[in-house]
Amino acid sequence: QSALTQPASVSGSPGQSISISCTGSSSDIGTYDYVSWYQQLPGKGPTLIIYEVSRRTSGISHRFSGSKSANTASLTISGLQPEDEGDYYCSSYTTSTPFDVVFGGGTKLSVL
Amino acid sequence: DGQLVESGGKLVQPGGSLRLSCVVSQFSVYINYMAWVRQPPGKGLEWVAVFYSGDRTFYGESVKGRFTISRDTSKNTVFLQMNGLRVEDTAMYYCARVSDFLFDPWGQGTLVTVSS
């Protein structure tokens, strides 16, 4: 079901900035601004952190930001902290599935 | 924001049945759209069943005909009836509210293991 492509893993040192890409198509990211990002910390359920491409949910640090260009969305985390380590998933509205949402395969962020 | 608590997951044999429950507080399952999303061990997220606008339901291709999503508004609870379970249905199952093509909030999950 994963129609959005994410890198399997990214890593960075504390204080650095990293970006996670999420590549789709003109059926989803390329046309619609309903891109969301979820954070899943070890042993926990997912939490929505970014919606509508770049809007942060309440309580989410300004270190997290989202953007989009053509068919690719990106999540950027600046000032990386050890507690950011976990899995990150993107999702998008799509016209390709019966229900209009598709997830990416997830990216494991390691803070070295 | 709302709290969701899933239950009902356990070890079941292939071909068996199971019903998962999701008790919701602080918002109504009657006026909100709800979904079940699963995550196989070490893998990504997959929506499996969605209760949407006008009582429409959607099912992932891998569970269509075997799983049924329903709700009891008097108990503010959403259910997932799973029949004909397969080994590949082994996963953590999460309940979540659906709004504007996003899932928020989520529960803590309940683990379903299908094995002989």
Side-chain angles (χ1 to χ4, degrees):
Chain A
Q1 200 185 78
S2 294
L4 304 180
T5 302
Q6 297 180 234
S9 63
V10 298
S11 61
S13 300
Q16 286 186 332
S17 293
I18 62 94
S19 287
I20 299 172
S21 62
C22 172
T23 302
S25 69
S26 57
S27 297
D28 38 68
I29 294 174
T31 302
Y32 305 100
D33 287 338
Y34 288 108
V35 178
S36 302
W37 289 92
Y38 300 87
Q39 177 190 61
Q40 186 175 33
L41 299 177
K44 303 292 186 182
T47 300
L48 177 71
I49 57 173
I50 298 284
Y51 65 101
E52 292 177 8
V53 178
S54 59
R55 297 176 182 268
R56 276 183 300 274
T57 56
S58 176
I60 297 302
S61 168
H62 282 67
R63 298 186 298 106
F64 292 84
S65 62
S67 62
K68 186 184 87 165
S69 177
N71 295 339
T72 298
S74 297
L75 173 70
T76 299
I77 308 174
S78 58
L80 211 54
Q81 298 181 0
E83 56 264 35
D84 297 332
E85 188 164 284
D87 297 321
Y88 292 82
Y89 294 89
C90 62
S91 75
S92 173
Y93 173 84
T94 178
T95 56
S96 304
T97 60
F99 178 63
D100 314 303
V101 173
V102 63
F103 286 105
T107 299
K108 181 174 182 59
L109 169 62
S110 298
V111 181
L112 307 174
Chain B
D1 200 26
Q3 185 178 18
L4 300 85
V5 179
E6 302 96 332
S7 63
K10 65 177 184 179
L11 173 64
V12 62
Q13 291 190 337
S17 297
L18 208 55
R19 189 175 85 152
L20 306 182
S21 300
C22 170
V23 178
V24 177
S25 57
Q26 298 178 34
F27 67 85
S28 169
V29 302
Y30 177 70
I31 61 173
N32 284 274
Y33 312 140
M34 302 296 298
W36 286 93
V37 181
R38 71 182 180 184
Q39 184 174 34
K43 296 189 177 181
L45 303 170
E46 175 192 20
W47 65 263
V48 293
V50 180
F51 214 119
Y52 207 53
S53 170
D55 282 352
R56 288 186 297 164
T57 54
F58 298 93
Y59 297 94
E61 285 300 318
S62 60
V63 308
K64 197 175 293 184
R66 300 187 298 124
F67 289 13
T68 303
I69 187 172
S70 63
R71 62 186 176 184
D72 183 334
T73 54
S74 67
K75 297 179 180 178
N76 216 35
T77 300
V78 180
F79 302 100
L80 184 68
Q81 177 66 43
M82 304 186 294
N83 299 328
L85 283 162
R86 305 168 181 169
V87 171
E88 55 266 33
D89 294 320
T90 294
M92 185 70 79
Y93 284 74
Y94 296 98
C95 174
R97 179 176 60 183
V98 184
S99 172
D100 291 335
F101 317 113
L102 57 83
F103 300 83
D104 179 61
W106 300 60
Q108 86 291 345
T110 186
L111 181 62
V112 174
T113 303
V114 185
S115 175
S116 55

